[in-house]
Amino acid sequence: MNKKIWVKVSYILASLLVFGVFLYLIQIPSAKDFLTKIENTTFDLRQNIVSKHKKTSDKIVIIDVNDASYEYIVDKYGSWPAPRAFWADLITNLEPVHPDMIIFDMLFLKKHKADGASDFELIKAVNTNKNVYISMNLDNYPPEVRIPPQLPDALKNTIENDFLIKQNPDLSYSNCRPVIDEILNGTKNIGLINVQRDKDGILRTMPPFSYYKGAYYKHLTILAGLDYLNIDKNSFKMNRNGNIALDKKHTLPLTKEGKVILNWYGPEWSFNYVPLWRTVEAIKKNDRKFLEDNFKDKIVFVGVTANSLSDIKSTPVSYMFPGVEVQATFLNNLLDNNFIKKTSVFFDILIALLLAVLTGFGVMNFKAPMKAVLLFFGLQAAYFVISILLMGFFNIWTGLIAPFVLSILTFIAAYVVKYLLTSRDYEHTYKLAVTDGLTEMFNHRYFQEQMTNNIGNAKRYNSVFSLIMVDIDFFKKFNDTYGHQSGDAVLRQVAQTIKRNIRSTDIPCRYGGEEMSVILTNTNKEDAVKTAIKICEAVRNKEFELATGDWTHVTISLGVAAMPENGDTTEKLIEYADKCLYIAKRNGRNQVVSEAPEDTPTE
């Protein structure tokens, strides 16, 4: 096969093998979970980079129950939580400065039996102010602990083509922690604050809807966001890509788990915070300027940030992220329509294939390994930078780990293929360097090397080896009679006959002209003579084809020498075998001679 074609075929086969291994790996649950965990970590890294350049909406402000505010409430009221009337007063005193919304990231559950008047004040403040939003939570407590309540129809929603949400059991709940009954039935501004962390404990996504008793319920921020955008709807439709269109501009791009991926705005405290104690003091002092500067025409979240009250989440940008800021981030994403959109598995595989092909191309075509390594890391770095830009400017999360894994597998496979091809080329080149082109026996240079090696081994291990020198009888006359082309043909056929009558461990060589030799490793003289006789008879009995198409017979003469009895150097062994060969020719040719007197001349 042509070398270039062989290289291409080898590379294609290796690439297909690597791609098959890659597809197999991502189907193994443990491997898939491991790759997902690393991919999520790369998302966190990119979010940390791009979030520093994002700005939160100046329309959102957070009244936070920080550590100082917590101590303030405990000092004023003796314990936490504050009486319900405290929150009613907060609502009543903020309304005159006209905030767009007041959203409580806090649960007001059952009535306090000892403080019914305080509950009534909160009920009145919430139900009479249509811009106040209250939290509710779903859970899976058994009915023995809490009888699952029936929620008002006004809170229910329907989703057409809801396959993504229904296939995720984590979004379906069997019980509910409702707010005070009078609030539950007095306002429709009640939304869920359920959050769900990934397996590593990091909160990256939020569920816009959850399922309970045959109906869907909106998340608190989805409810408030739709009202803020003047989108009045309780019926939604999901398209086949998992997107829910809220209006012509705003869309909820759902993951395959039925959630949205949050786009973070930096480390914690990225929104405008106003401590609760400072707000209460401004109300007491009737500091209207302070209240208007901070809350007029604002979306006001009220939530806990004090570490001691434990509403702290781990997010991609911080391990100490206030829960209320998670809710604010969710709403900010909705208003800006900048939720993160993750590319499909198909797209990630295409990118992985592209990087793998470029990686393999570099390995197969660059002779210097360093160039291939630099190309590999250059491609990975370039793709990483592109992925950051896509996330920063277009809110697109492209997979990094699948392309990296496939690229590195391709890199390794390409080097294995290249090594095998290089080894094959080296073997071929080496074979050409040590092989005689006409007879396909080893050449004289290789003969000398092997003689030296065998002598060294024989001396080192006190072993034996033998040498047979072969000469075709009357070969000069044969060439003159039949021509050099026929002579070459006979020379090739004699060489093949010799190779067929020796062991695979023996070394047949063309010594020069019509003279050939065989090095018999680990062979004493007696066995060498037997082999020489076998070769002599095989040549004598064989009919050889000439270049003209005619057939003829030839004979050979053979001389045998062995180490150590006939010499312990290359020169001495060759000299002794030549003397035996001379005697064979002098005595009529077509025979084997293994003994030569010291005064025997050589040709």
Side-chain angles (χ1 to χ4, degrees), residues 166-177:
K166 276 201 169 178
Q167 73 182 14
N168 183 4
D170 293 337
L171 297 181
S172 182
Y173 296 89
S174 61
N175 214 325
C176 175
R177 299 176 70 191

PDB file of all heavy atoms in Angstrom, residues 166-177:
ATOM      1  N   LYS A 166     -41.573  17.194  33.653  1.00  0.00           N
ATOM      2  CA  LYS A 166     -42.171  15.963  34.165  1.00  0.00           C
ATOM      3  C   LYS A 166     -41.170  14.821  34.282  1.00  0.00           C
ATOM      4  O   LYS A 166     -41.340  13.920  35.099  1.00  0.00           O
ATOM      5  CB  LYS A 166     -43.344  15.543  33.274  1.00  0.00           C
ATOM      6  CG  LYS A 166     -44.639  16.247  33.650  1.00  0.00           C
ATOM      7  CD  LYS A 166     -45.834  15.482  33.154  1.00  0.00           C
ATOM      8  CE  LYS A 166     -47.112  16.050  33.768  1.00  0.00           C
ATOM      9  NZ  LYS A 166     -48.308  15.354  33.266  1.00  0.00           N
ATOM     10  N   GLN A 167     -40.118  14.848  33.467  1.00  0.00           N
ATOM     11  CA  GLN A 167     -39.155  13.752  33.527  1.00  0.00           C
ATOM     12  C   GLN A 167     -38.159  13.920  34.670  1.00  0.00           C
ATOM     13  O   GLN A 167     -37.346  13.038  34.913  1.00  0.00           O
ATOM     14  CB  GLN A 167     -38.409  13.622  32.203  1.00  0.00           C
ATOM     15  CG  GLN A 167     -37.378  14.695  31.928  1.00  0.00           C
ATOM     16  CD  GLN A 167     -36.725  14.523  30.572  1.00  0.00           C
ATOM     17  OE1 GLN A 167     -37.194  13.776  29.738  1.00  0.00           O
ATOM     18  NE2 GLN A 167     -35.629  15.226  30.350  1.00  0.00           N
ATOM     19  N   ASN A 168     -38.242  15.041  35.387  1.00  0.00           N
ATOM     20  CA  ASN A 168     -37.364  15.271  36.528  1.00  0.00           C
ATOM     21  C   ASN A 168     -38.178  15.152  37.812  1.00  0.00           C
ATOM     22  O   ASN A 168     -38.915  16.065  38.188  1.00  0.00           O
ATOM     23  CB  ASN A 168     -36.724  16.657  36.447  1.00  0.00           C
ATOM     24  CG  ASN A 168     -35.738  16.894  37.587  1.00  0.00           C
ATOM     25  OD1 ASN A 168     -35.479  16.005  38.395  1.00  0.00           O
ATOM     26  ND2 ASN A 168     -35.185  18.085  37.650  1.00  0.00           N
ATOM     27  N   PRO A 169     -38.064  14.033  38.529  1.00  0.00           N
ATOM     28  CA  PRO A 169     -38.870  13.838  39.749  1.00  0.00           C
ATOM     29  C   PRO A 169     -38.558  14.868  40.833  1.00  0.00           C
ATOM     30  O   PRO A 169     -39.377  15.080  41.732  1.00  0.00           O
ATOM     31  CB  PRO A 169     -38.491  12.418  40.193  1.00  0.00           C
ATOM     32  CG  PRO A 169     -37.161  12.154  39.558  1.00  0.00           C
ATOM     33  CD  PRO A 169     -37.172  12.908  38.267  1.00  0.00           C
ATOM     34  N   ASP A 170     -37.384  15.501  40.765  1.00  0.00           N
ATOM     35  CA  ASP A 170     -37.030  16.486  41.793  1.00  0.00           C
ATOM     36  C   ASP A 170     -37.876  17.749  41.708  1.00  0.00           C
ATOM     37  O   ASP A 170     -37.859  18.571  42.630  1.00  0.00           O
ATOM     38  CB  ASP A 170     -35.548  16.867  41.659  1.00  0.00           C
ATOM     39  CG  ASP A 170     -34.627  15.711  41.999  1.00  0.00           C
ATOM     40  OD1 ASP A 170     -35.075  14.811  42.725  1.00  0.00           O
ATOM     41  OD2 ASP A 170     -33.482  15.703  41.532  1.00  0.00           O
ATOM     42  N   LEU A 171     -38.599  17.930  40.613  1.00  0.00           N
ATOM     43  CA  LEU A 171     -39.449  19.117  40.475  1.00  0.00           C
ATOM     44  C   LEU A 171     -40.903  18.834  40.849  1.00  0.00           C
ATOM     45  O   LEU A 171     -41.759  19.703  40.734  1.00  0.00           O
ATOM     46  CB  LEU A 171     -39.390  19.653  39.040  1.00  0.00           C
ATOM     47  CG  LEU A 171     -38.016  20.139  38.562  1.00  0.00           C
ATOM     48  CD1 LEU A 171     -38.111  20.667  37.135  1.00  0.00           C
ATOM     49  CD2 LEU A 171     -37.477  21.216  39.489  1.00  0.00           C
ATOM     50  N   SER A 172     -41.171  17.633  41.283  1.00  0.00           N
ATOM     51  CA  SER A 172     -42.518  17.243  41.679  1.00  0.00           C
ATOM     52  C   SER A 172     -42.548  16.994  43.181  1.00  0.00           C
ATOM     53  O   SER A 172     -41.714  16.250  43.714  1.00  0.00           O
ATOM     54  CB  SER A 172     -42.940  15.981  40.923  1.00  0.00           C
ATOM     55  OG  SER A 172     -44.262  15.622  41.255  1.00  0.00           O
ATOM     56  N   TYR A 173     -43.507  17.611  43.882  1.00  0.00           N
ATOM     57  CA  TYR A 173     -43.560  17.543  45.341  1.00  0.00           C
ATOM     58  C   TYR A 173     -44.910  16.997  45.803  1.00  0.00           C
ATOM     59  O   TYR A 173     -45.924  17.128  45.110  1.00  0.00           O
ATOM     60  CB  TYR A 173     -43.342  18.931  45.946  1.00  0.00           C
ATOM     61  CG  TYR A 173     -41.969  19.499  45.656  1.00  0.00           C
ATOM     62  CD1 TYR A 173     -41.748  20.244  44.507  1.00  0.00           C
ATOM     63  CD2 TYR A 173     -40.909  19.283  46.522  1.00  0.00           C
ATOM     64  CE1 TYR A 173     -40.491  20.761  44.233  1.00  0.00           C
ATOM     65  CE2 TYR A 173     -39.655  19.803  46.252  1.00  0.00           C
ATOM     66  CZ  TYR A 173     -39.445  20.537  45.101  1.00  0.00           C
ATOM     67  OH  TYR A 173     -38.208  21.046  44.840  1.00  0.00           O
ATOM     68  N   SER A 174     -44.885  16.397  46.994  1.00  0.00           N
ATOM     69  CA  SER A 174     -46.100  15.793  47.544  1.00  0.00           C
ATOM     70  C   SER A 174     -46.707  16.606  48.680  1.00  0.00           C
ATOM     71  O   SER A 174     -47.803  16.291  49.145  1.00  0.00           O
ATOM     72  CB  SER A 174     -45.794  14.373  48.048  1.00  0.00           C
ATOM     73  OG  SER A 174     -44.811  14.418  49.078  1.00  0.00           O
ATOM     74  N   ASN A 175     -46.013  17.644  49.150  1.00  0.00           N
ATOM     75  CA  ASN A 175     -46.551  18.428  50.263  1.00  0.00           C
ATOM     76  C   ASN A 175     -46.151  19.887  50.110  1.00  0.00           C
ATOM     77  O   ASN A 175     -45.325  20.231  49.246  1.00  0.00           O
ATOM     78  CB  ASN A 175     -46.058  17.879  51.604  1.00  0.00           C
ATOM     79  CG  ASN A 175     -47.106  18.022  52.694  1.00  0.00           C
ATOM     80  OD1 ASN A 175     -47.859  18.996  52.726  1.00  0.00           O
ATOM     81  ND2 ASN A 175     -47.158  17.042  53.595  1.00  0.00           N
ATOM     82  N   CYS A 176     -46.719  20.734  50.954  1.00  0.00           N
ATOM     83  CA  CYS A 176     -46.519  22.172  50.821  1.00  0.00           C
ATOM     84  C   CYS A 176     -46.495  22.824  52.193  1.00  0.00           C
ATOM     85  O   CYS A 176     -47.209  22.404  53.116  1.00  0.00           O
ATOM     86  CB  CYS A 176     -47.649  22.756  49.967  1.00  0.00           C
ATOM     87  SG  CYS A 176     -47.611  24.554  49.836  1.00  0.00           S
ATOM     88  N   ARG A 177     -45.664  23.856  52.317  1.00  0.00           N
ATOM     89  CA  ARG A 177     -45.661  24.700  53.526  1.00  0.00           C
ATOM     90  C   ARG A 177     -46.330  26.021  53.151  1.00  0.00           C
ATOM     91  O   ARG A 177     -45.658  26.959  52.718  1.00  0.00           O
ATOM     92  CB  ARG A 177     -44.232  24.939  54.005  1.00  0.00           C
ATOM     93  CG  ARG A 177     -43.486  23.669  54.371  1.00  0.00           C
ATOM     94  CD  ARG A 177     -42.043  23.972  54.737  1.00  0.00           C
ATOM     95  NE  ARG A 177     -41.940  24.686  55.995  1.00  0.00           N
ATOM     96  CZ  ARG A 177     -40.825  25.267  56.449  1.00  0.00           C
ATOM     97  NH1 ARG A 177     -39.736  25.249  55.697  1.00  0.00           N
ATOM     98  NH2 ARG A 177     -40.790  25.878  57.605  1.00  0.00           N
TER      99      ARG A 177
END
